[in-house]
Every structure is written in C-alpha cells, then in structure tokens.
Amino acid sequence: KYLWRCARMDNAGFCNETYESLHNPASDDELVDIAGATLDFSSTEDVPPLDPEYGSGYGNTGYSNGMTGNGVLMDLLDEPVPGVGTYEDFNTIDWVREKSKDRDRHREITSKSEQSTWALLHSISDAFSGWLLMLLIGLLSGALAGCIDISAHWLTDLKEGVCLSGFWFNHEHCCWGSNQTTFQERDKCPQWQSWAELLGGSSEGAAAYIVNYLMFMLCALLFSFLAVILVRAFAPYACGSGIPEIKTILSGFIIRGYLGKWTLIIKTITLVLAVSSGLSLGKEGPLVHVACCCANILCHLFTKYRQNEAKRREVLSAAAAVGVSVAFGAPIGGVLFSLEEVSYYFPLKTLWRSFFAALVAAFTLRSINPFGDSRLVLFYVEFHTPWHMVELVPFTLLGIFGGLWGALFIRANIAWCRRRKTTRLGHYPVLEVLVVTGITALLSFPNSYTRMSGSELISELFNDCSLLDSSQLCDYNSSENRAFSNTLPDRPAGPGVYTALWQLALALFFKMLVTVVTFGMKVPSGLFIPSMAVGAIVGRLLGVAMEQMALNHHDWLIVKGWCSSGADCITPGLYAMVGAAACLGGVTRMTISLVVIMFELTGGLEYIVPLMAAIMTSKWVADALGREGIYEAHIRLNGYPFLETKEEYGHKTLAQDVMRPRQSDPLLVVLTQEGMSVGEIEGVIADTDYSGFPVVVSQESQRLVGFVLRRDLVISLDNARKRQDGVVSASLVFFLEHVPPQPFSGPPVVKLRGILDLSPFTVTDHTPMAIAVDIFRKLGLRQCLVTHNGRLLGIITKKDILKHMAQMSNRDPDSILFN
C-alpha cells in the first residue's frame, strides 16, 4: 500500500492521518482546517483558496439525490466547491493542471472579448496586469532596499558614535554638512563624537579605547538579540538566506507563510539589525527573499495570479531577479541570476517581465540614492591600467583558491548546520546568536579591517590607489613621477602597506572561520558579501605581491616584455575584484550571471575576460571536489523535495524498480469508478495517509480511469453530506459521466466526475528511469502511474525518485523528508 505520502516535519503534522482529523484538527499544527464546506486559510495568507468561479475546471462536483420515475438524475449541487483544486501545506503543486487551468481561463476571456466592449476591456486589462504587477514589485522592492541600506549604514556607525547635529545621520552624512571638515581628515568633524568623547570627554588614551570597545560590543549584542528575538517570536521563516527555500517553492513546493506579510515585515527589520551587529553576513540573499515576499503579497491584487500557483511562480521568478538588482545595483545580472540559479520554470515572457521589474527596482533605488554618491553600483572602480595576458596565470590561481575555498566552506558549514540540527545546540538559537556575536565583536574591534562592515571592506580592497587616498593600503614610498601624473606608478611599499597586509592576513582567517558558523543561524544571513570579502582579501594580498615583484624584478622574463621600470603595470584592486568573484563562484557555482553581476557591480567592462577565467576555474575545481553549491547542499540538508535540474541521472534502472508497491508490499489501494459507497471511501481515507488515489474500472480489471486527490475527495464528500439531503454512508459514489438508474428506495448517489483527473501521466513498467526523471523535471509532476498493457501496476512519486537517487548515490534515502 503505497501512494504519494505527505511530507512530515519533526515538530508538526503536515498530513491528516484520518478522515476525522480533517474535521477536528488536534492542534494548531494542523495547518489546514476544514470546517464544514469551507477552508480557513487565515493564518496562511500567502496561498489563498481558489475562488469558486475559478474552480470550474476541477471543482464541478455534482451530487445525485437518486433517480426519479422518469430516470433523470437531479444534480442538487452543480456549482464549484470552495477548496477543491487547492493544495495542502508542504505539498507539491500539479504544474500540468495549473497550466491547463490558465489556458482555459485565457481561452474563455478571449472568446468573450469578441462579444462586448466591456469584455474587450477586461481582456486588455488582463493582458496588462502582468506588467502592472512587475511595476509595483519593482517600486516596492526598490523602496524597501533603499530603506534597508540607509538604516543599516546608520546603525553600523551608531556602534562607534553619534552625530550631535542629528542623531539620525550616519558618520559620513554628519561630516558632509560640517564646515570644519578638511579634505585630509574628511572622516573627522566636531559634529560626530565617539562614545568615549560623549561619556568620558576624551578620544585618546586607554580609557577611551576601552569605552569605545565596550560600546561596540554592547551595541552588537543588542542588535543581534533584537534580531533573533523578533524572528523567533513573530516570523520563524525570516531567518537564514531564503534562497534554498525560494528555489524549492519555485519548483512547485508549497510552504505557507514563507512569503507572507509577517515574514516580509520581520525580515526587513531584522535584516537591518543583523547586518548592523557586525556578524559575518550580508543582505544580498535575504533581499531576494524580501522581493519575493513583496511579489507574493502583490499577487493578491490580481485574480490571474492569486488563483493560479504556476502563474504565481512566474512572478516569483521575476521577483528573484529584482532582489539581486536592488542588492547589487545589477538589473541584467539579476535576470541572469534568476534564470541560472533560482528558477525552475522560466518562459520567455517571464524573461522580459523580469528585466522590466529589475529595471524599475534599480531606478527606484537610484532615486533614493542610499549611498549618497549618485551611483547605483555598490563598488565603483576606476582602474587606469589594462591587464596583460601574463596576468591570467595569477588570475587562474585565484580561481583555484576560490574553488578550494568554496568546496571547503560548503562541507564545513553543512557539517556545522547538521550538528546544530541533531544536537542540543539547536535548542538554544538565541544563546547561539549572542555567543557568536560576542566572539565576533570581541575579535573584530582591534583590527580595522574586521571592524568595518563587509561592504566597506570590499570597497577598500577594490580601491585603486590614487594621489588623494589616505588608506594604509596606499602608503607607498614617494616617487619622482608623482607630480606629473594623477595615477601612481608602481612604488616600493611603505610601512603602512606591510601593516595592512598583516592585518588583512589576520582578517582572512577570522572571516573564513566565523562565516562557517554564522551562515545558518536564526537571523537573516546572506552569503554573497562574506564570500566576496574572503576572495577580495586573498586577491589584494596576491596583487600587492605581484606589484612588488614587478617593481623589484622588472628584468625577469615574465614581466620584462610588458612592464618597464617605474611603470604602473599592476593593479592590486583588480586582483581583489577577481578573487572576490572566484570565491563567490566557488561557493554558489554561479557562472554567467556572476560575471555580469561583477561587471555591473564595479563598472569594470574591460576586465570581463579575467573574471571569466577565474570564475570558470573556480567552478571546475569546486565541482571536482563536490557537485553541489551551497544552496543545493542546504536544500538536501533540510530534506526539501527538490529535483535538481543540473544533476544527471546515469543509472540503468527501470520504472518497475522504483514504483510502489514493491513485490513484497500489499496491493495498491485504488478506488473503482462505480460500486463503492461513501462509507467505504471514507474508510479508505481514514486508514491511509496517501495524497491521492487511482480510479480504475474494477478491482478485477485494474484498467486505469483517472486519478483523484485526497484533498478534493474529502472536501467533496464533506459537502455532499452537509448540503445534500439523504446522503449517508451507504450512498454510492460514481466517477461516471452518466450514472446508471438506481432503485427508488435506495439513498441518493454522489457523483464525483468533476474532481477526477482523466489524463494522469502514465509510463510503462519498462520505461527507463532516466526518461521518467526527465519527465518529472520538465513537466513538474507530482506523481506518475505505472501500467502494463493498460493495467495499473503502481505509482511513482517525486519523493520516490528523490529517495531512489539518494540511494543510488549511497546517501540516506530517509533524509528526503521535510524537516
């Protein structure tokens, strides 16, 4: 006895065990409450039930009250039933059914548009609604991203001091308005005072250092405590990156509340707090989650997207592009990111709308101008020296390091997250966040490169030293050519550069260790900025080493042909940029989209080839050590039923090797198209927890008629009992178009033809599993029936395939459960 089984979690029941439990949920964990004939989705606002007018294709459930003397069947309930055609929480949608419903809806609107002017206007508005929705998503996401950037910058500076002219100003904006700021000390002004100056009256000495140190730690602990408490109390789904869950949702899985309004509000607030606390995390991944929440909420304004799960996922794919667009100021890279990394179904129409939405979001963010420099890009670079072919060797070395670091990070982080899930550590998420924050703040304050935020660190490392830079990394010894050029030739490194290199080496090990334990905690946490920071540090160290080598050994054969003595031929900032891209590629396995994001992020069009070389090398090295990126690894760790499109199926098994029931199992539980009573069907529902039942001609023939979902069956029988007089347990149930004549004395019959899927996907028992896997991937199937000469043999579900693939890869097949 095996059919598609509901996914389960350790702490909640996601499928209804008995027929009675559908009517009387035992606790709040029963996420779908059927009360009478209606469903209560009040706590799951992001996936509302289908409207009655929309369920006509699958909800026309008629019930017979018996045959009259002239043999005419009287359908007392010929209208759609609320709830029929919707999906339970933690179930997979039927892509084929959803696309079919959308085609029927579009065909009906088109046919009516020729009948009246009002219908024509309705058809035009329906066609335009998608573009209007994209406009609203772009505006709302861009506005939220601007508020997050401004707030995070302000709170980050608040850990070090306060602006006396207005506490709402961050350090940079405070000194902009000061008339006493000099260019050499543009980060110092009387209006901005550190905590030591406010509390002790002095900014120098050991006492001032200790006061600033303590305030830095206290603010970091306060911000992280507020973040984890808000997540835990109001929106548990607001933690983490969100991209693994977004990928799973876009593949057709339903996680109610994950894209709801509470998740949006709490994630927006706690993202600011988490970034400001100084933890080794970024806001880029969570911004994709925020944009998808905006899209899901705005979908409720449009009937076409509110009532169709497949159409809604097209919008969410565009929203993922919007998230990357506002995170990096990279609209084209955002579209490619959604296409390459996140989306499961990405038609050409979605490509155009994604680009439009990303463009609107980027324009909105540019209008807000959160960085105050009138630029959209996060790290603007202006390198003055072209790269040379010989430099492809160190660029490739950076790619190798990025691949090694990516594979090492994924293994270490997954091991730590698995330990968190399986030990007592996971029972104390608040304490874990506070301990990690305390250690991070304690170790990061003494080092200026770890004390600053991740974005500021990367910007510092990308910087190309000019005459006006006062950074330690630009502390080179003076040169006689200095007065004749706005750019600096390669010069001997001064003491400030060597000090900065030591600090960067310490910052590298600190970032590598703390990022492993930070990603996955119960606060919003992105991975883009920490990964880029690690790569940028390694790239800058290598760039300075190459620069000094070219200076001191310009007569070596490797540099003699293109780098003359005293020339400006090495750009350390370029190495930092390439290293950042290589490490991010090694962790996420992004390729094309990452090249475009880095180009848009920095404005460095001339350096696409070095980026491509490093990113592809990084991917090859990382894939050689492990095929999964960080998001796929977390999907597998959490047991989400996600069928990876990039993974190849190379085994020679057949459908009969995977289908259920197996030879030693009991027979398949089926319904017959006639002859079963309401009580018998309710007994089958009570005795099983299957999500659907095949309907056959008879128990003897086992010839397939169709497939009926458990949810639709329960709701329809419940409506029949409540809204049709005389229906009892002895009433017969028919899945036929024309019910045969019934005796006058018998109870009325129930006709359920309307909820029967007459075209379920089938394969034969000798179909290769490689073909079956491709069918599941490309059509997004929930289940597929297995037949032999038209006779039903068994069923293959998406979870069966995932378990079989795990078993063939020597992994635990029981891990494919939602937990």
Side-chain angles (χ1 to χ4, degrees):
K1 294 182 180 180
Y2 184 87
L3 280 173
W4 167 261
R5 293 186 179 274
C6 300
R8 300 177 183 274
M9 286 179 65
D10 294 339
N11 60 345
F14 295 137
C15 63
N16 303 312
E17 295 296 335
T18 64
Y19 179 76
E20 288 77 10
S21 68
L22 286 167
H23 299 271
N24 301 300
S27 68
D28 292 338
D29 289 337
E30 295 291 341
L31 301 178
V32 179
D33 177 21
I34 301 181
T38 60
L39 296 178
D40 180 14
F41 285 81
S42 59
S43 64
T44 56
E45 70 280 356
D46 62 321
V47 188
L50 299 182
D51 290 346
E53 63 180 8
Y54 191 65
S56 58
Y58 291 87
N60 281 335
T61 308
Y63 305 100
S64 165
N65 69 336
M67 300 297 294
T68 60
N70 56 9
V72 179
L73 178 67
M74 298 179 63
D75 289 332
L76 298 182
L77 189 63
D78 200 22
E79 72 274 7
V81 178
V84 170
T86 59
Y87 304 94
E88 291 184 0
D89 202 10
F90 304 106
N91 268 274
T92 304
I93 70 170
D94 190 331
W95 283 90
V96 177
R97 181 169 75 169
E98 296 299 306
K99 297 302 294 182
S100 176
K101 288 194 294 187
D102 183 64
R103 284 193 296 269
D104 293 342
R105 181 197 60 82
H106 187 266
R107 190 181 300 113
E108 182 181 359
I109 291 177
T110 303
S111 62
K112 288 183 178 180
S113 64
E114 302 174 357
Q115 301 174 5
S116 66
T117 304
W118 176 253
L120 178 61
L121 293 176
H122 176 66
S123 175
I124 295 174
S125 66
D126 180 79
F128 182 70
S129 61
W131 295 99
L132 179 59
L133 179 58
M134 293 298 117
L135 175 66
L136 296 177
I137 292 171
L139 291 173
L140 181 57
S141 301
L144 285 177
C147 294
I148 289 172
D149 288 336
I150 294 172
S151 303
H153 198 176
W154 173 64
L155 283 181
T156 300
D157 289 348
L158 194 62
K159 293 188 299 183
E160 299 183 356
V162 178
C163 184
L164 300 181
S165 59
F167 73 91
W168 55 87
F169 289 130
N170 60 39
H171 192 171
E172 188 177 13
H173 289 172
C174 183
C175 291
W176 273 1
S178 174
N179 295 324
Q180 299 169 286
T181 304
T182 62
F183 186 81
Q184 286 75 18
E185 296 184 340
R186 47 191 177 274
D187 59 338
K188 297 181 181 179
C189 60
Q191 287 78 9
W192 179 265
Q193 291 197 356
S194 65
W195 289 110
E197 291 175 302
L198 284 173
L199 301 177
S202 174
S203 61
E204 304 294 335
Y209 184 84
I210 293 174
V211 170
N212 287 331
Y213 205 150
L214 290 177
M215 289 303 299
F216 182 88
M217 290 191 62
L218 287 175
C219 290
L221 289 170
L222 176 63
F223 296 158
S224 63
F225 176 74
L226 290 175
V228 69
I229 285 296
L230 288 173
V231 168
R232 186 174 175 83
F234 296 102
Y237 283 149
C239 67
S241 167
I243 292 182
E245 288 77 13
I246 296 297
K247 289 188 67 169
T248 308
I249 290 172
L250 289 179
S251 72
F253 200 58
I254 290 179
I255 309 177
R256 297 193 190 279
Y258 197 83
L259 302 177
K261 58 179 180 292
W262 272 111
T263 303
L264 172 63
I265 295 171
I266 298 302
K267 186 127 192 177
T268 302
I269 297 172
T270 55
L271 178 57
V272 174
L273 293 169
V275 171
S276 305
S277 68
L279 288 167
S280 183
L281 48 84
K283 62 180 184 297
E284 287 67 30
L287 276 176
V288 174
H289 188 186
V290 168
C292 287
C293 288
C294 296
N296 186 73
I297 293 170
L298 291 172
C299 278
H300 294 180
L301 302 177
F302 302 88
T303 305
K304 177 168 64 173
Y305 299 101
R306 183 177 67 248
Q307 297 174 337
N308 192 291
E309 294 290 349
K311 296 292 290 181
R312 193 190 312 214
R313 275 154 180 76
E314 294 180 18
V315 176
L316 295 179
S317 294
V322 170
V324 175
S325 174
V326 296
F328 290 115
I332 301 176
V335 175
L336 293 176
F337 171 81
S338 178
L339 175 61
E340 178 184 4
E341 187 65 25
V342 179
S343 296
Y344 196 85
Y345 174 67
F346 203 84
L348 189 60
K349 179 173 58 178
T350 303
L351 178 69
W352 301 332
R353 291 180 175 175
S354 300
F355 180 70
F356 174 70
L359 188 64
V360 172
F363 175 77
T364 304
L365 186 64
R366 170 64 179 79
S367 302
I368 296 174
N369 193 20
F371 307 117
D373 56 3
S374 299
R375 288 196 181 103
L376 181 62
V377 297
L378 192 57
F379 312 115
Y380 180 74
V381 298
E382 193 173 356
F383 300 141
H384 303 285
T385 305
W387 62 278
H388 195 269
M389 290 294 293
V390 177
E391 291 183 281
L392 285 177
V393 175
F395 293 154
T396 305
L397 292 178
L398 288 174
I400 294 174
F401 172 81
L404 293 173
W405 156 245
L408 174 65
F409 171 79
I410 292 171
R411 293 191 180 185
N413 180 252
I414 293 300
W416 179 258
C417 290
R418 183 175 288 111
R419 182 177 181 83
R420 180 188 290 127
K421 294 170 73 71
T422 57
T423 63
R424 294 178 60 86
L425 177 65
H427 299 161
Y428 306 100
V430 177
L431 181 61
E432 181 192 10
V433 170
L434 291 178
V435 169
V436 173
T437 304
I439 294 175
T440 302
L442 181 68
L443 298 179
S444 64
F445 185 83
N447 189 337
S448 61
Y449 291 108
T450 53
R451 186 192 314 171
M452 65 178 65
S453 67
S455 299
E456 291 176 336
L457 172 62
I458 296 172
S459 181
E460 177 89 359
L461 296 171
F462 282 8
N463 181 36
D464 183 25
C465 292
S466 65
L467 295 174
L468 304 177
D469 279 312
S470 57
S471 169
Q472 272 191 319
L473 285 170
C474 297
D475 183 22
Y476 291 93
N477 292 332
S478 59
S479 171
E480 63 274 7
N481 295 332
R482 186 168 182 166
F484 305 104
S485 174
N486 288 329
T487 61
L488 295 178
D490 291 339
R491 298 165 297 151
V497 174
Y498 289 112
T499 302
L501 293 182
W502 277 110
Q503 292 179 338
L504 285 175
L506 294 174
L508 173 64
F509 290 106
F510 172 76
K511 287 283 185 184
M512 292 173 70
L513 292 176
V514 77
T515 304
V516 170
V517 299
T518 302
F519 187 70
M521 292 196 308
K522 298 302 180 184
V523 292
S525 55
L527 197 58
F528 281 35
I529 290 297
S531 300
M532 291 177 64
V534 169
I537 292 174
V538 174
R540 188 77 186 201
L541 293 175
L542 181 61
V544 173
M546 289 289 296
E547 180 187 47
Q548 296 305 303
M549 184 200 72
L551 173 70
N552 297 317
H553 304 282
H554 59 272
D555 55 343
W556 282 10
L557 182 64
I558 191 173
V559 295
K560 186 176 182 180
W562 58 279
C563 186
S564 59
S565 177
D568 181 20
C569 52
I570 298 290
T571 306
L574 172 60
Y575 285 76
M577 184 174 74
V578 173
C583 281
L584 183 55
V587 171
T588 63
R589 311 299 163 86
M590 297 159 53
T591 53
I592 302 173
S593 58
L594 180 55
V595 171
V596 177
I597 287 173
M598 292 301 299
F599 152 59
E600 291 186 280
L601 192 64
T602 60
L605 176 62
E606 187 177 351
Y607 306 102
I608 284 184
V609 173
L611 289 172
M612 292 173 64
I615 289 172
M616 285 308 304
T617 304
S618 173
K619 177 176 172 58
W620 289 333
V621 173
D623 283 346
L625 300 175
R627 299 290 297 177
E628 292 179 326
I630 185 65
Y631 301 130
E632 291 79 16
H634 273 270
I635 286 174
R636 185 162 60 84
L637 174 68
N638 292 324
Y640 300 146
F642 180 78
L643 198 56
E644 177 59 58
T645 56
K646 303 173 186 175
E647 186 177 355
E648 296 182 2
Y649 187 89
H651 309 290
K652 295 184 178 180
T653 53
L654 302 177
Q656 63 183 3
D657 301 323
V658 182
M659 73 174 189
R660 299 298 180 106
R662 303 287 174 83
Q663 292 182 354
S664 59
D665 293 339
L667 295 177
L668 191 68
V669 176
V670 297
L671 306 179
T672 58
Q673 65 178 353
E674 58 179 318
M676 294 188 72
S677 66
V678 171
E680 290 174 336
I681 293 180
E682 290 176 348
V684 171
I685 295 173
D687 294 338
T688 62
D689 58 0
Y690 307 147
S691 286
F693 303 93
V695 178
V696 297
V697 173
S698 65
Q699 293 286 356
E700 293 75 21
S701 71
Q702 291 289 309
R703 296 188 69 85
L704 182 65
V705 176
F707 192 84
V708 62
L709 294 177
R710 172 195 183 97
R711 179 184 176 88
D712 293 351
L713 193 60
V714 170
I715 296 174
S716 299
L717 292 176
D718 187 54
N719 273 270
R721 283 186 175 273
K722 291 183 176 296
R723 301 182 62 180
Q724 183 179 354
D725 294 335
V727 172
V728 294
S729 296
S731 298
L732 295 179
V733 176
F734 289 91
F735 294 94
L736 299 172
E737 184 68 31
H738 303 288
V739 177
Q742 302 297 312
F744 288 96
S745 59
V749 301
V750 178
K751 181 182 175 185
L752 297 182
R753 178 78 168 190
I755 64 171
L756 182 64
D757 182 5
L758 295 172
S759 57
F761 271 84
T762 60
V763 295
T764 68
D765 51 341
H766 291 288
T767 300
M769 277 306 299
I771 296 177
V773 170
D774 277 343
I775 293 175
F776 270 83
R777 283 172 175 164
K778 295 176 180 178
L779 296 179
L781 300 183
R782 288 161 52 106
Q783 68 276 319
C784 181
L785 301 175
V786 182
T787 62
H788 179 75
N789 294 335
R791 179 183 173 88
L792 180 65
L793 292 183
I795 187 170
I796 299 176
T797 68
K798 187 176 182 180
K799 191 169 294 183
D800 290 332
I801 290 180
L802 290 167
K803 286 187 175 183
H804 178 69
M805 295 174 70
Q807 191 173 15
M808 299 300 287
S809 302
N810 296 320
R811 301 197 308 263
D812 180 16
D814 292 330
S815 64
I816 312 298
L817 289 174
F818 188 85
N819 52 37

